[in-house]
Amino acid sequence: STLDPNATAGGGIIVTYKDDVATLDPAIGYDWQNWSMIKSIFDGLMDYAPGTTDLVPGLAESYTISDDGQVFTFTLRPGVKFHNGREMTAEDVVYSLNRVTNPATQSPGAGFFGSIKGYDAVADGSASSLEGVHSDGPLSVTIELSRPDATFLHVLALNFASVVPEEAVAAAGEDFGKHPVGTGAFSLGEWTIGQRLVFEKNADYWRAGLPYLDSITFEVGQEPIVALLRLQNGEVDIPGDGIPPAKFREVMDDPAQAARVVEGGQLHTGYITLNTQMAPFDNVKVRQAVNMAINKDRIIQVINGRAVSATQPLPPSMPGYTDNYAGYAFDADAAKSLLAEAGFADGFETELYVMNTDPNPRIAQAIQQDLSGIGVSVSIKSLAQASVIAAGGEADQAPMIWSGGMAWIADFPDASNFYGPILGCSGAVQGGWNWSWYCNEELDAMATKADSVTDPAKADERLQMWSDVYMAVMEDAPWVPVFNEQRYTMKSERMGGADALYVDPVSIPVNYDYVYVNDVQ
Amino acid sequence: MFSFLIRRLLQSLLILLGVSMITFVLLYWLPADPVRQIAGRSATAQTVQNIREQLGLDQPLVVQYWRYLGNLLQGDLGRSYLQRTEVSTLIMSRLPASLLLMAGAIFAELLIGLSMGVVAALRRGSRTDQVLMIVSFVGVSAPQFVVGLLLLYVFAVQLHWFPIGGYGTFSHLVLPALTMGILGSGWYSRMMRSSMVDVLRQDFVRTARAKGLTRRRIILRHALPNAILPVIAMIGIDVGIFMGGIVVVESVFGWPGIGQLAWQAIQRVDIPIIMGVTLVSATAIVIGNLVADVISLMVDPRIKIR
Amino acid sequence: MIGAAEKPSGAYAPDAAPVLQVSNLTVSVNTEAGLKSLIRNISFSLNPGETLAIAGESGSGKSITSLAIMGLLPPPVVRVTEGQICLNETDLLTLPETRMRDIRGNRIAMIFQEPMTSLNPVMTIGAQLSEAIMAHDPIGRREAHTRSLEALTAVRMSQPEKRMSQFPHELSGGMRQRVMIAMALALRPDVLIADEPTTALDVTVQREVLELLRDLQRDLGTAMILITHDMGVVAEMADRVIVMQSGQMVEEGNVKQLFQAPKEDYTKALLASVPRMGDGSGAQEGGKAGASIAEIRNLKVRFDVRGGIFGRVTHRVHAVENVNFDIHAGETFALVGESGCGKSTIAKALAGLVPYTGQVRISGSEIHSLTRAEAKAIRRDVQMIFQDPMASLDPRMRVGDLVAEPLVIHKIGTVAERSERVAMLFDRVGLSAAQMERYPHEFSGGQRQRICIARALALQPKLIIADESVSALDVSVQAKVLELMRELTEEMGVAYLFISHDMAVVENISDRVAVMYLGQIVEMGCRAQVFGNPQHAYTRRLIAAVPVPDPTYERPAGLRLAGDIPSPMRRLEDAPKLAKLVDIGEGHLVAMQD
Amino acid sequence: MSIVTTPDLANSDTASPKRQSALARLLQRRLAVFGFALILLTVLGAVFAPWLTPYSPYEQMFDGLTIEGAPMPPSSTFLLGTDLLGRDLLTRILYGARTSLIIGVAANGMALIIGTLIGVTAGYFRGWVGGMLMRMTDLMMAFPALLLAICLAAIFQPSLWIVAMVIATVNWVQTARVLYSETSSLAEREFIAAERTLGAGHMRILFKHILPHLVPTIIVWGTLGISTTVLLEATLSFLGVGVQPPVASWGNIIFENQTYFQAAPWLVFFPSLAIVVLALAFNLVGDALRDVLDPTQRGRN
Ligand SMILES: Nc1ncnc2c1ncn2[C@@H]1O[C@H](COP(=O)(O)OP(=O)(O)OP(=O)(O)O)[C@@H](O)[C@H]1O
Ligand SMILES: Nc1ncnc2c1ncn2[C@@H]1O[C@H](COP(=O)(O)OP(=O)(O)OP(=O)(O)O)[C@@H](O)[C@H]1O
Ligand SMILES: [Mg+2]
Ligand SMILES: [Mg+2]
């Protein structure tokens, strides 16, 4: 990574959020709000170049992969220090991986490490450490997999794979999430629960010259609309929750304010799941008809054009996206005749589950209107997030779910990330996240095969395989991909740094380590 | 007095026990699984099962409740499922703000409501009276979110009299307290008006006049303390009503109180937090009623302690 | 300071310049129909040290007159439209409110009728007294306290020090009225207006308060306007009398002249309707005793008082202890005694309103042993009339419906029959059937009590319990109601249990009398026995306390009572001593005294 | 026996006032008529909504949104503007009146009935029945009402009538409290004792003598409860446990659009106005009704 020649070091910024920060424990934190914060406090072996989806080594200086793609050997960067002053070693890496996979940690990300040898034994409690992970000397770590996994380097760039110091974890016990100690660009200074967190610059940070900012203050409990008013008043630098829909037009219609908005894509798809095990969605024609009945442009209009219409599960910026695929075009007449073919000439009644925060109920109503156009009468169940998730996890409860608010933002920028839990057989279990209960053994096999292609030279081949998988999925139409949300980050006048940092695909809202302010002397 | 307090405290404890029991049962019935929330979307069935066992959520309801109660007696409200923090820490860090807001709101609504009520009673039947009563009615009927945003927009954004949300100084408190107070002041002004009208008709007010006291003294020293008595009991009920409004007002003004905590917890079925907040607000309500009782006991010498 | 002998004894000095001069006073009320005068052309003067009584029946404008003098008429509806009120040359009506405020309480003070409600319930006695003093004298809190204490001592309050920190509800009615008097006299006003100062009090307490007022007035030389409808009080207290009727002065004169030779018809009628002790002409002696309708044996009523953490019974009110008596058909049996002695409780026990032990036999059947339906039927024989007719009629029902209620409850007759019966009852008690459509508040007190009687009669009971049924009424109205009751006894043979604290009334109406004290009967016998030959000290005291409507009557001295009546509330283990009644001849029972 | 004549009010007007129905007397009051008219207007608007507006409440019109997706301000096509989905706001307010009237009248009514039943029973009978009922009320009062509502509504799948039931179950508490103390002091009044001596049964006393006296209080709480319940329904909708979209209610129109109070004030202003006006109308009628039903207030208008 190179330093920004225009950057000036120093100063602090204020970021606001509505919700309190849940935890800063990298093994636990799994919402978009604390994701980027944890990223700034901790580092993993792998990382992404700022503002891109390009993998780069992080705490690992270099790595080698065996020919069969199952053994990874990492050489660690020397002289990296934890915030508590101790130097990081290979043992810490081993400890961290053991910790995140240990059931006692209750990490929601443990499953990502499933390909490491010995994972199953740790998961079922019969072993306390991963067989495949060991250190060979203070700066060298070997990780052995039980099967080839093309995404494994991405997994190591996940927050869950962050390196944590054992003694700090032991000292804080269950409260590690409130007293995080990592190797990252910032350390946690102050945390007044319910009010504010202050991140302070890590002077010993191993990336020389970074971070630019002396401090970041996160003020929580701020209604987005109030946060924006404060931004307009010069009191806030970045409203973490983005521009509230109610203010979007006002901001964008004012050139001065619009100039401070950075727009970018994100690894997100909003979709409707059609429960393939519930009638009448067990009929593929019905599912296809529904796909054709949705007027995606209208839905995008309803959310003020803050998205682009989607044709397939993968978002356009994701490697593996099928460019020349038109998807199911909006055609109510075709949909009707397809429905008639399926024996539902008079339509049918069904339910659409949706999370109850704006704009999701509105989108659901737009969907409802579209479907009534082909004779399908939908009643909306607008519920709390937890209730929708619970309903989706039952085989026979939710015929349709609009994914908004709980939607899939990729954990890492790889095509495989949109398949496993949400479209694969493994997710189609009680309590799983495959809400369309779509299970196609053949595709599962294809997916496994694609992920065992670990040779970087064959990357294109692998992506083609994924593209085929998703095309096949679209053929079966368990989903209606509706749109890919765009990101709009608004910043204050004084904020500097490349625009890409403000729409960093893995750090929402911004990549804190690289941004700076212009008004420090 | 002492035995009265003890008796009321015992009663309050029973009420709290009842509240905890009902909440527990209700939450158990909720069609949402907290474990899936914790486990996240990449979790395997194995992980989910592990977490369920670790949290004891696979036990029968009675066992779970019994355990909860046992911990509660040791002052342990459990750990938040999603924040992984002691619920007591979370609540304690937010409670002062909520209490401050509540105190501010009660002050605001008493000040506004009582003075409106008194003025209306003194001018009863006049135009002022009618206008005040309509104003109070609008106060009762207007949605709090809208009132809050309007106040914020006018007094903070446009006029810069107060900060735009936040917590810390007195000027931060004014708008949120006012927003919450407007609703209550509507109620109080109506109650105070009728109470005051009654009292002004009483014989002892005539006696006070016959003594040659000034009008001011008659109103403040004689009429007001008597008229306020029925209103005091209302303050106890009021605390309960606040708990509803606090969610909205705290979120509008970025006030770091337990309302926001509760709101987040409900959305995510973070049962320990919901339980904790419920118990705390029930305690607040119970204490509110107790305080109201004790105050009326102190203000009104006629109330016999039974 | 008060009561110190520094002032010459303020005997009535007729030729001194009047301290208060009221001339041509007219007070009007603003109504929709325009100004309507409440009092017209009232003129009188009040000399220093004099006691002027204003007498007249309810609604005649007595209070309005006094409020006009105080400048306390409720503005803007009621105001003085004509006339002058001069206090030593100053015309009070032209004074601005601030000046008037200086005069109120300072130079003119007032005592109100209702001692129960005239004091602020949430302020201590001391604070209310000091406040009055400090409002006019620029003195400190401490000095005001001392003076308040002196004032309380001057009104012969027991334990004045303790009273200072007590609240009104902790004092009895008599004590409260003393506080009012202390408050009024603390600043030694030139004029004291006492508006029915004793009407709400027991006879014995009334006696004390009247004596107190007289003593203080004599000592301080204050001129007093005494407003009352009780001619007995007038006779005892006043130097001069004004009689008012319908807002006008009917007659004015020296008290002796007025009583001996009333000029106006109205005055004569008023004097005639005053019940007098010793002329029980209305009732014939004995001879009427028919079958006994109610037999009361060993009646006990106790109320538990709970306390402590677990609300255990700690005390018990022995409201009625071991009471025995019979009531015979057609007779009027009277219960007399001071407030709180248990009279109403006996009535309630008879009417089935409180649980009791002992036997109550009505028409021969013991109520306890009956089924509910039977008890309901037997209760038809006993009906009750309460003290306050307004309070005992549902204010939201039409009086016709109210009178028809008992018929409806006991499912008697058809709708048409019922309304016919109600009309008949209305007629019987002297009301017109046209008034059936009205609501209770649209009637006068006397009319309301007639409605209550009509209602009690609806079921043709054998016994009517009249609990203080005429105490709240004007003398003239009272006389009419008593007359009605007497007629009913003769016509229908109804027996009465007549409860009253007014010995004069009791003597006028009753056949037999029982005197109660602290829940027990201390003396019982026929009227002649009890009034003619009172044996128990308590009975004598009651009789002696009654004001005599004769200005020439000389009250025997030395019968001053000490302290308040003891409380019937006792600790659990502390049962009261039972009085033993001894027959001293011809059924005249008297409790043994030690 | 005596010639004393009292000039008393009762005798001065010889003709007794004719029995006039409460309604007739109500209609003599200007404000009450005004309130009545407003309520009637609302009801008619709700009932005849399909004939009053050319649009459907659910129709998301293409020209109801700008190209950028912003709602249309009031104009001659859309009298009160459109909402965020391009639906006609007037139409939604008219149809929403149905929901809000049901909530405001039925749910609030149910709450009043429950509160009255419990308060009156406890206040009249005392004893252990009363004790139990009041302890239950205390318990309910200690419960954060919103939480209870959320749980109940989430357990029973939300629908209009479930929401109404839920609102009723959490809203009766204050009424019960107030009526309890009022009833227990009424029960001490002498006229009740008088009724008992006549042999009146409990039911008769309760319905003929106690209930009529509670009417003013019930009316006050009932009218105040209208806006409270309508807003509670809105809060529930907002929390996702209220009336389900696309069904309109005044409350959920406000809540859906509350953040747009600056960008599209009509979306918040008109439904709020509707709530306030309806509540005020009920209040006007309630106040008048209270006076009309109180015979002691007769002629003091
Ligand atoms: N505020 C008022 N408005 C209209 N009429 C009034 C008002 N106050 C008193 N009155 C009327 O004035 C008349 C005289 O009343 P006042 O109180 O002086 O009678 P009173 O002689 O003191 O009777 P009582 O013995 O009952 O106290 C009554 O007919 C009463 O109804
Ligand atoms: N429900 C009750 N609970 C406790 N004590 C009571 C109750 N009712 C009456 N008492 C007490 O019983 C005693 C007798 O009361 P009761 O009403 O019979 O007196 P009374 O002779 O009728 O007096 P009054 O002349 O004031 O009507 C009083 O001391 C009273 O305080
Ligand atoms: Mg980092
Ligand atoms: Mg009077």
Side-chain angles (χ1 to χ4, degrees), chain B residues 15 18-19 22-23 26 29-31 137 141 143 145-146 149 153 187 190 237 241 263 266 274 278 281-282 285 289, chain D residues 138-139 141-144 147-148 150 154-155 174 221 224 227 231 239 254 258 261-262 268 272 276 279-280 283:
Chain B
I15 287 177
V19 168
I22 297 176
T23 318
L26 282 178
W29 276 343
L30 270 195
F137 205 80
S141 311
F145 194 95
V146 177
L149 281 176
Y153 188 71
W187 288 88
R190 309 194 124 231
I237 299 181
I241 299 175
W263 164 255
I266 288 171
I274 300 180
T278 307
S281 57
I285 296 169
N289 278 311
Chain D
D138 284 347
L139 189 85
M141 205 157 83
F143 235 106
L147 181 93
L148 188 67
I150 291 169
I155 289 168
Q174 284 94 333
W221 284 83
L224 280 173
S227 52
L231 289 175
L239 298 176
I254 296 175
Q258 56 189 5
F261 80 108
Q262 243 184 303
V268 179
S272 299
V276 172
L280 207 59
N283 187 49

Side-chain angles (χ1 to χ4, degrees), chain A residues 383-384 387, chain B residues 19-32 262 265-267 269-271 274-275 278, chain D residues 143-158 162-163 165-167 169-170 232 235-236 239-242:
Chain A
L383 307 170
S387 307
Chain B
V19 168
S20 74
M21 202 139 61
I22 297 176
T23 318
F24 214 87
V25 173
L26 282 178
L27 291 176
Y28 189 80
W29 276 343
L30 270 195
I266 288 171
Q267 284 290 313
V269 203
D270 201 334
I271 291 175
I274 300 180
M275 280 299 297
T278 307
Chain D
F143 235 106
L146 198 60
L147 181 93
L148 188 67
I150 291 169
C151 289
L152 286 177
I155 289 168
F156 307 100
Q157 293 276 318
I162 291 291
V163 171
M165 288 272 292
V166 166
I167 289 176
T169 35
V170 301
L232 182 58
T235 315
L236 289 180
L239 298 176
V241 285

Side-chain angles (χ1 to χ4, degrees), chain C residues 406-482:
Chain C
L407 303 175
V408 178
I409 291 168
H410 293 277
K411 304 198 177 63
I412 298 170
T414 63
V415 176
E417 282 166 11
R418 275 181 214 146
S419 63
E420 199 177 311
R421 179 86 166 271
V422 171
M424 188 272 285
L425 285 166
F426 263 65
D427 185 49
R428 181 63 206 86
V429 298
L431 295 169
S432 79
Q435 290 167 324
M436 281 161 56
E437 292 288 294
R438 295 199 189 159
Y439 288 93
H441 73 276
E442 295 170 315
F443 290 89
S444 70
Q447 288 173 321
R448 276 181 222 137
Q449 200 57 293
R450 283 160 191 264
I451 292 166
C452 289
I453 294 175
R455 180 147 102 138
L457 287 175
L459 292 173
Q460 295 173 309
K462 297 194 177 120
L463 174 64
I464 290 181
I465 303 168
D467 187 358
E468 309 269 15
S469 298
V470 293
S471 319
L473 304 178
D474 261 1
V475 257
S476 50
V477 184
Q478 185 181 39
K480 283 194 271 184
V481 173
L482 289 176

Side-chain angles (χ1 to χ4, degrees), chain C residues 94-145:
Chain C
T94 57
L95 287 184
E97 174 66 17
T98 40
R99 289 280 314 283
M100 195 59 211
R101 202 179 283 148
D102 292 337
I103 288 180
R104 260 184 237 136
N106 191 13
R107 302 195 43 208
I108 311 179
M110 188 158 175
I111 307 170
F112 295 97
Q113 171 165 8
E114 273 297 329
M116 297 300 172
T117 52
S118 293
L119 290 169
N120 186 339
V122 305
M123 268 171 98
T124 60
I125 303 297
Q128 298 191 51
L129 273 168
S130 315
E131 173 189 67
I133 298 170
M134 286 193 293
H136 299 285
D137 281 0
I139 53 171
R141 202 166 285 274
R142 180 153 317 158
E143 196 182 338
H145 182 89

Side-chain angles (χ1 to χ4, degrees), chain A residues 38-43 47 184-185 205 207 513:
Chain A
I38 291 173
K39 267 210 167 347
S40 286
I41 292 185
F42 296 92
D43 295 307
D47 202 354
Y205 191 47
R207 281 191 176 112
D513 302 4

Side-chain angles (χ1 to χ4, degrees), chain A residues 223 225 229 245-247 249-250 298 301-302 304-305 353 356 358 361-362 365-366 368-369 380-383, chain D residues 58-62 65-70 84-87 157 238-240 244-246 256 259-260 262-263:
Chain A
E223 187 68 26
I225 203 156
L229 289 174
K247 288 281 183 183
R249 288 308 338 153
E250 180 196 323
R298 171 71 181 189
Q301 186 191 5
V302 163
N304 301 107
Y353 283 67
N356 58 15
D358 190 65
R362 271 195 283 147
Q365 292 175 67
Q368 184 185 40
Q369 160 148 315
I380 295 175
K381 295 231 172 281
S382 160
L383 307 170
Chain D
Y58 308 131
E59 190 190 350
Q60 303 165 18
M61 280 164 289
F62 179 75
L65 289 180
T66 63
I67 296 301
E68 290 102 357
L84 300 174
L85 280 164
R87 298 174 292 203
Q157 293 276 318
F238 187 63
L239 298 176
Q244 290 294 304
E256 269 168 23
T259 52
Y260 286 76
Q262 243 184 303

